[in-house]
Amino acid sequence: MNSFFQLIARHRVLASTLFLAIFPFIMPYEALAINILIFGLFAMGFNLLFGYMGLLSFGHAAFLGIGSYLTGIGIVHYGMPWGAAILVGIIGAAIGGLIMGYLAIRTRGIYFSMVTLALGQIVYYIFYKAESLTGGENGLRGVRVDQFNIFGIPVDFLNPLVKYYIILFFVVIAIWLISRILSSPLGAVMEAIRENEKRAAACGFDVARTKLLVFVLSAAICGLAGSLRALHLSIVPIDSLHYLQSGQAVMMSILGGMGTFFGPFIGAAVMLYLEDVVTTFTKHWMAVVGLVFMFFVLFFPKGIWGTILSKLQIHQDSK
Amino acid sequence: MTGLTFELLCMQLLTGIALGSIYALLALGLCLIFGMLNVVNFAHGAFFMVGAFLGVYFLGITGSFWFSLVLTPLLTGCLGLLTERFLVRPLYGRGLDYPLLLTFGLSYVLIEVIRITFGIEGLPSVTPEGLGGTLNVGIGYFPKYRLFLIAATAVIILGVWFFIQKTRYGLIIKAGAADQEIVKVLGVDIAKVWLLVFALGCAIAGLSGILASPTRSVNPEMGIPILAESFVVTVVGGMGSPVGAVVAGLLVGVVYSMTSLFFPDLAELSIFVLMAVVLLIRPQGLFGKAGAMG
């Protein structure tokens, strides 16, 4: 069992790709699988900052929203091809991350969480007020991607399974990128900052620049998640930008296991699946999700995947 | 801009102070809990919302605003007591993030409990008897209730100030915030102090909820935007500074109402921009100490 988990950990990109390739067949329907894919990526991008560098941002909905809106606006108002629109979404989110990160990294600890939350609300109100572009309260409608050709082969984006694999293509690239970042020297500095910021600075690392860089990378990944979500839903709801949406990323990371590679994805899957099941018999799913989340914070702070990993570790040591 | 007069400006200033009173109260509650327990209560907005619901509900049953003004904070205080004892206390020593996350989850639950109990529509807000209508304040007519709001807030803030600065309990609280080890050694049950401070913070949040209820719509989501706004106030004032909380609360209220007079579209944005500017100039906030935000 142990060596199996170690094998997964060693080939984490391959393992997640293989698993996600069969994932839609395990889920009750494809739309849920696509949703988990997108929010898994969102939580992974968020976890880069929170789990690996220890900065708890409550403003990451801004990047999901910027990605969604810019991609949507590109397609709806400027007739962009969808690939270019995704690129615009990612770049926009990265620029947003640069501005927000520049302001937020001036503060530390709990203050950082409050500042990111408030800055995220600025983005919310900007898009809310720019009604002619964003549709305001009603959200942006008509983000349509129907049929297109890849190397001359017609692809039907409206077919859920086809849509799943197209989105998976982008998600896998992002997963590969995240894995590379984490195993690079930058990843090591990130964890050093999480463990002891002062010591990392004393070792000669530029803490502020690292924080800003990771903030931007994390924002860009969340922006990609947002772009893909706009294509998936073909609308952009204004809720995408709300801080409760940022809270979802936090919940997913904690539920799955913050600071672990697969944790956020597992957290997203569990939470969205739970939401899906609970809504079939009560409309008060928020209470259930809230209670489950509180239970994890109190009793399993390492989350599902984190707890499994640490249990295995104990097992290994006792041998 | 036509029709802009000195009177209008003064009225808008007064409106801003009334709005700012609520912000000041909320930030004061947040600040008490943070200063003492190092916990940011993400359920603060939810306690505010619960306070508004309980307030309107008791007002409907008993017909007495004053009665519900006493009962509501007592109940939200008790809720705070339970929260600290059973939910927050097990998380001390596990870092700053966990209590924050727990209270975030709690806010989800509180919102749903209110939705289940009172429905998703919310309650009609009621202006208490005798406080309806307007009063001539020399430069024009101003809603009586808002004047009451300003006065009530002033009384509460002075009360809290008196409690902390002039009583034995306040001394213990201040000492506990400065150095909990020493206070423990001196034989004070610090756990009990934390419990009471958390409850006090929640009671103030509930009280601001009922006080705000006649001026805004009472619905389960009402605490959500106000949490973000109280954070702005806390950031502007400086984390853990009660004076900062009050000054920044009033400032944010005035900035909001002034912007809504000149640029109505930018009103919500203005307070966040204020925060961004303060952060650029003084990352620790107007009254915060450098290094106290870690």
Side-chain angles (χ1 to χ4, degrees):
Chain A
M1 199 62 183
N2 254 354
S3 55
F4 174 68
F5 277 100
Q6 272 159 4
L7 198 68
I8 293 179
R10 202 168 307 136
H11 304 283
R12 52 193 183 188
V13 178
L14 187 68
S16 30
T17 309
L18 288 176
F19 176 74
L20 291 173
I22 55 162
F23 188 60
F25 303 102
I26 325 174
M27 284 287 110
Y29 49 93
E30 286 93 354
L32 182 61
I34 296 176
N35 233 352
I36 291 173
L37 212 51
I38 289 168
F39 276 98
L41 183 65
F42 178 42
M44 258 181 143
F46 164 79
N47 189 44
L48 207 55
L49 192 68
F50 173 52
Y52 286 98
M53 211 166 57
L55 296 184
L56 174 51
S57 156
F58 252 86
H60 263 52
F63 310 124
L64 184 83
I66 291 175
S68 281
Y69 270 110
L70 292 191
T71 298
I73 290 169
I75 292 173
V76 174
H77 294 292
Y78 298 101
M80 270 185 200
W82 61 282
I86 289 181
L87 205 61
V88 169
I90 297 173
I91 293 170
I95 293 172
L98 190 65
I99 298 170
M100 200 155 151
Y102 175 73
L103 281 167
I105 61 162
R106 302 164 72 88
T107 64
R108 283 212 297 277
I110 278 176
Y111 221 58
F112 179 85
S113 309
M114 298 168 88
V115 168
T116 44
L117 188 151
L119 290 173
Q121 289 303 94
I122 293 189
V123 179
Y124 176 88
Y125 285 115
I126 289 174
F127 280 85
Y128 187 90
K129 294 289 178 188
E131 217 176 317
S132 56
L133 274 179
T134 63
E137 198 174 354
N138 301 321
L140 180 67
R141 282 156 197 281
V143 186
R144 204 162 285 130
V145 179
D146 307 334
Q147 197 124 35
F148 52 86
N149 294 321
I150 294 178
F151 302 122
I153 306 159
V155 176
D156 178 16
F157 199 74
L158 295 180
N159 178 331
L161 210 55
V162 173
K163 187 156 75 174
Y164 178 88
Y165 286 109
I166 292 172
I167 289 176
L168 179 63
F169 171 75
F170 290 99
V171 172
V172 164
I173 292 177
I175 289 178
W176 174 77
L177 193 73
I178 293 170
S179 176
R180 284 304 298 267
I181 292 171
L182 289 177
S183 48
S184 75
L186 174 64
V189 179
M190 283 160 62
E191 291 189 60
I193 291 174
R194 180 188 65 195
E195 294 309 321
N196 191 330
E197 197 179 316
K198 287 203 182 95
R199 201 171 292 170
C203 290
F205 296 114
D206 192 333
V207 171
R209 251 177 66 192
T210 309
K211 279 184 177 178
L212 190 59
L213 176 62
V214 175
F215 201 101
V216 172
L217 286 171
S218 163
I221 291 163
C222 292
L224 171 64
S227 294
L228 296 173
R229 186 159 182 252
L231 299 179
H232 165 49
L233 295 178
S234 63
I235 59 162
V236 184
I238 185 74
D239 291 359
S240 320
L241 283 164
H242 203 275
Y243 79 78
L244 291 181
Q245 193 73 260
S246 308
Q248 296 239 304
V250 181
M251 284 182 165
M252 286 164 179
S253 297
I254 290 281
L255 230 53
M258 63 161 176
T260 65
F261 190 76
F262 300 102
F265 238 105
I266 295 171
V270 169
M271 196 161 133
L272 292 173
Y273 189 75
L274 189 72
E275 196 181 306
D276 190 68
V277 172
V278 174
T279 38
T280 55
F281 57 88
T282 167
K283 58 178 187 286
H284 300 289
W285 61 270
M286 261 176 83
V288 179
V289 170
L291 283 172
V292 169
F293 177 67
M294 281 162 72
F295 179 80
F296 268 86
V297 169
L298 276 171
F299 302 110
F300 294 99
K302 285 180 181 157
I304 297 168
W305 187 247
T307 307
I308 292 175
L309 287 181
S310 70
K311 280 274 185 310
L312 287 173
Q313 198 66 44
I314 289 162
H315 188 65
Q316 221 172 12
D317 289 343
S318 62
K319 242 193 313 198
Chain B
M1 188 140 185
T2 53
L4 181 68
T5 58
F6 178 67
E7 281 77 17
L8 183 60
L9 217 56
C10 287
M11 293 307 245
Q12 202 65 19
L13 187 69
L14 213 51
T15 307
I17 293 173
L19 177 69
S21 304
I22 295 295
Y23 288 148
L25 270 185
L26 279 165
L28 185 66
L30 270 175
C31 170
L32 274 179
I33 295 175
F34 177 77
M36 189 68 202
L37 290 78
N38 246 320
V39 168
V40 169
N41 183 10
F42 253 66
H44 212 66
F47 277 100
F48 168 83
M49 179 271 300
V50 169
F53 268 87
L54 290 180
V56 173
Y57 178 70
F58 289 135
L59 177 59
I61 290 181
T62 62
S64 164
F65 181 67
W66 309 105
F67 176 74
S68 68
L69 208 55
V70 175
L71 194 60
T72 303
L74 279 178
L75 283 174
T76 50
C78 287
L79 201 58
L81 224 69
L82 292 174
T83 306
E84 199 278 344
R85 177 66 191 82
F86 295 106
L87 298 174
V88 177
R89 189 173 293 181
L91 297 173
Y92 291 142
R94 272 218 238 146
L96 298 173
D97 292 344
Y98 284 100
L100 184 159
L101 294 170
L102 183 111
T103 46
F104 179 69
L106 179 66
S107 73
Y108 261 56
V109 176
L110 286 177
I111 290 172
E112 283 302 333
V113 168
I114 290 292
R115 276 186 189 147
I116 294 167
T117 320
F118 293 98
I120 55 165
E121 294 294 320
L123 299 174
S125 53
V126 195
T127 306
E129 226 172 300
L131 292 173
T134 56
L135 194 75
N136 192 347
V137 287
I139 44 160
Y141 288 89
F142 196 72
K144 259 190 217 166
Y145 185 78
R146 295 197 177 193
L147 291 173
F148 164 76
L149 189 61
I150 295 170
T153 308
V155 169
I156 296 163
I157 288 172
L158 284 176
V160 171
W161 178 82
F162 184 82
F163 175 72
I164 291 181
Q165 295 294 336
K166 302 287 172 193
T167 66
R168 210 182 103 79
Y169 299 103
L171 196 66
I172 295 174
I173 290 174
K174 275 197 297 184
D179 191 335
Q180 41 160 306
E181 292 302 322
I182 294 288
V183 174
K184 255 189 240 171
V185 172
L186 291 173
V188 175
D189 187 353
I190 194 96
K192 209 176 273 173
V193 181
W194 286 342
L195 187 69
L196 289 176
V197 169
F198 196 91
L200 181 65
C202 293
I204 296 177
L207 194 59
S208 25
I210 174 172
L211 282 173
S213 69
T215 63
R216 54 183 74 214
S217 65
V218 178
N219 57 59
E221 295 81 24
M222 69 188 287
I224 295 172
I226 207 128
L227 182 73
E229 286 151 11
S230 344
F231 282 177
V232 169
V233 172
T234 315
V235 170
V236 169
M239 195 92 197
S241 159
V243 179
V246 174
V247 174
L250 295 176
L251 179 67
V252 164
V254 169
V255 165
Y256 182 94
S257 71
M258 284 301 166
T259 320
S260 59
L261 179 64
F262 293 107
F263 314 98
D265 272 350
L266 299 178
E268 284 100 345
L269 259 175
S270 64
I271 63 168
F272 294 103
V273 173
L274 171 73
M275 184 201 70
V277 171
V278 169
L279 268 178
L280 281 172
I281 301 166
R282 267 183 79 87
Q284 70 270 37
L286 296 178
F287 291 83
K289 291 182 209 76
M293 56 197 189

